[in-house]
Amino acid sequence: MVIKILGSGCANCKKLEANAREAVKELGIEATIEKVEDFKDIMAYGVMKTPALVVDEQVKIMGRVPSVEDIKKYLK
Amino acid sequence: MFAWLDLLIQLLVEKVFKISMSTRLGSSIHFFFYDTIKIVILLALMIFAISYIRSYFPPERTKKILEKFGDITGNIMASLLGIVTPFCSCSSVPIFIGFVEAGIPLGVTFSFLITSPIVNEAAFAILLASFGWKIALVYVITGVIVGVIGGILIGSLHLEKEVEEYVYQIQTGEVEIEKMTAKDRAKFAWDNVKDIVKRIWIYLLIGIGIGAIIHGWAPAPVLAKYAGPNNPFAVFVAVVLGIPLYSNALGTIPIAEALINKGVGMGTALAFMMAVTALSAPEMVLLRKVIKPKLIAAFVTITGTAIILVGYLFNAIAHFLV
């Protein structure tokens, strides 16, 4: 599973990344977490409000920081 | 609405601190505690309520709506949607690219980019706390008008060439707007409350502190003379001062409140606030990534002028509003 965090390095993006890592750890699944910081690449997903969570190339969450529990739902 | 608080703080000052309300120290302390508590209550309530509504209008949806409108109606729609679409200067670049890419006219895009930051939940809440409903509503309406007019003017200059070429080449994907439950929306709204309060509380306390000192000590006749509604330069200076400041400077509104009580023009204070929110130096730096200096200059000049005119207008009609 490939998880991408879209965001230009703002505080919320870091929080989302941390939450995503925690969710992966708690679920005990195999997943790589990548950060997408260039806004051209972010736009390619159609996302206009960061941070956003992309799981296997699908935008799951945008414009808010979901909780660890929240993210888990999208990783199952 | 806050008479109970007013009374409570009076009791605190007179019975607990044992300072008479008619002394300068007493009235300053009263101003500080009363304003702090009132603003925090209103800020939390308003940001929560407005953010909840805003969770229905992510920029991706706003973009879809705006694609359907042409000039002028488009400008009006863009400004109105600017009220309900959450905005932070960090997302101004993606929003700009997304709009341009979707074929939304430049002028319409700017209507959105002008109104959206001016009419934000924090500004609204602080205005409500400091000046009441009428002024807060009038502020929202004028924010929309400034956006519509600013956008139409920028559109009429036909500066499409002043957008960086690569913007037109970016391919944006389509995204499905996620379905949020009521719980998600409440969490989104509550996170927003925490986020904004965390960002501005220190400025707010400093602002209220200075406001409290002005309230107790500043000589009203002097202020009224130099910054009152009759000084033609006051609005201009306020707007120029507001441009380099960032929206954290909203904390300065309690200063404005205290100044207005001392005779500074209402329009001067509102113009300052609009300049702080609509035109900020960090946002210009970000926008420079997508538009050339000429268009930035047009944006700052047109928006700045519109805000100055609003300031004069309010100074002229303020006594009908309060």
Side-chain angles (χ1 to χ4, degrees):
Chain A
M1 183 182 283
V2 180
I3 299 167
K4 287 184 178 169
I5 311 291
L6 315 188
S8 49
C10 53
N12 278 338
C13 315
K14 285 178 192 128
K15 213 153 66 192
L16 175 61
E17 192 194 346
N19 285 1
R21 285 193 191 284
E22 184 61 30
V24 168
K25 206 171 96 189
E26 284 179 20
L27 286 174
I29 50 172
E30 283 286 315
T32 54
I33 296 181
E34 288 172 27
K35 279 165 83 175
V36 179
E37 294 192 329
D38 192 86
F39 62 89
K40 281 176 223 159
D41 302 328
I42 296 174
M43 296 298 303
Y45 287 96
V47 169
M48 290 160 80
K49 190 144 195 297
T50 55
L53 178 79
V54 174
V55 178
D56 287 336
E57 295 307 301
Q58 273 203 325
V59 180
K60 297 294 185 190
I61 288 167
M62 56 191 176
R64 64 190 179 95
V65 179
S67 66
V68 176
E69 288 308 311
D70 231 4
I71 299 175
K72 278 184 183 173
K73 279 185 282 180
Y74 294 102
L75 300 183
K76 279 174 189 162
Chain B
M1 188 175 158
F2 281 96
W4 60 274
L5 183 64
D6 189 28
L7 209 68
L8 204 69
I9 305 292
Q10 265 186 43
L11 286 176
L12 176 81
V13 171
E14 291 190 323
K15 302 283 184 259
V16 181
F17 296 145
K18 305 225 180 296
I19 303 166
S20 161
M21 279 293 297
S22 54
T23 62
R24 288 179 158 175
L25 186 64
S27 90
S28 278
I29 294 177
H30 181 271
F31 182 94
F32 184 81
F33 282 101
Y34 176 69
D35 253 47
T36 307
I37 297 172
K38 186 173 71 172
I39 290 179
V40 167
I41 294 174
L42 282 174
L43 208 56
L45 287 177
M46 295 310 300
I47 297 173
F48 188 86
I50 298 170
S51 302
Y52 197 92
I53 298 170
R54 284 185 160 188
S55 71
Y56 288 92
F57 293 91
E60 293 81 3
R61 177 168 291 153
T62 296
K63 186 186 85 174
K64 281 215 173 102
I65 299 173
L66 286 180
E67 282 173 34
K68 299 188 190 94
F69 293 92
D71 284 332
I72 307 206
T73 347
N75 291 100
I76 295 167
M77 283 305 290
S79 279
L80 290 175
L81 286 166
I83 301 176
V84 289
T85 306
F87 178 88
C88 79
S89 54
C90 56
S91 54
S92 56
V93 166
I95 286 177
F96 182 86
I97 297 175
F99 278 24
V100 169
E101 160 70 26
I104 294 168
L106 204 54
V108 173
T109 303
F110 271 101
S111 280
F112 179 86
L113 284 180
I114 294 169
T115 302
S116 194
I118 291 182
V119 185
N120 68 73
E121 56 271 53
F124 186 73
I126 296 175
L127 274 179
L128 188 60
S130 295
F131 306 120
W133 278 106
K134 271 193 227 160
I135 296 290
L137 272 183
V138 165
Y139 178 82
V140 171
I141 295 164
T142 353
V144 170
I145 295 172
V146 168
V148 171
I149 294 173
I152 290 174
L153 287 177
I154 291 173
S156 70
L157 294 175
H158 300 291
L159 291 172
E160 280 73 13
K161 275 195 195 119
E162 300 300 318
V163 175
E164 295 288 352
E165 285 79 16
Y166 76 87
V167 170
Y168 294 112
Q169 283 146 24
I170 292 181
Q171 296 290 321
T172 61
E174 273 297 311
V175 68
E176 205 171 313
I177 293 155
E178 77 173 298
K179 290 183 185 66
M180 291 172 93
T181 61
K183 213 180 126 204
D184 288 338
R185 292 183 200 284
K187 185 179 177 295
F188 170 82
W190 178 237
D191 282 348
N192 221 359
V193 172
K194 284 190 288 186
D195 192 50
I196 294 177
V197 170
K198 216 191 288 171
R199 223 173 52 213
I200 68 171
W201 72 273
I202 183 78
Y203 300 91
L204 205 54
L205 276 190
I206 295 171
I208 297 171
I210 297 174
I213 295 169
I214 295 172
H215 190 80
W217 277 273
V222 180
L223 281 172
K225 187 175 165 206
Y226 290 106
N230 297 325
N231 181 339
F233 296 110
V235 173
F236 182 76
V237 173
V239 169
V240 172
L241 280 179
I243 293 176
L245 296 174
Y246 191 42
S247 61
N248 290 343
L250 283 180
T252 55
I253 292 308
I255 302 182
E257 180 190 358
L259 287 173
I260 286 170
N261 291 334
K262 294 278 180 181
V264 171
M266 170 69 77
T268 312
L270 287 183
F272 174 72
M273 191 144 161
M274 284 191 178
V276 165
T277 49
L279 302 168
S280 75
E283 201 195 328
M284 299 307 134
V285 173
L286 284 171
L287 279 178
R288 176 65 194 88
K289 283 186 186 168
V290 280
I291 57 183
K292 295 175 188 166
K294 210 168 147 191
L295 183 49
I296 294 191
F299 168 55
V300 175
T301 316
I302 289 172
T303 313
T305 311
I307 293 173
I308 290 171
L309 292 178
V310 163
Y312 286 122
L313 180 72
F314 274 113
N315 275 346
I317 62 164
H319 51 283
F320 297 116
L321 296 169
V322 267

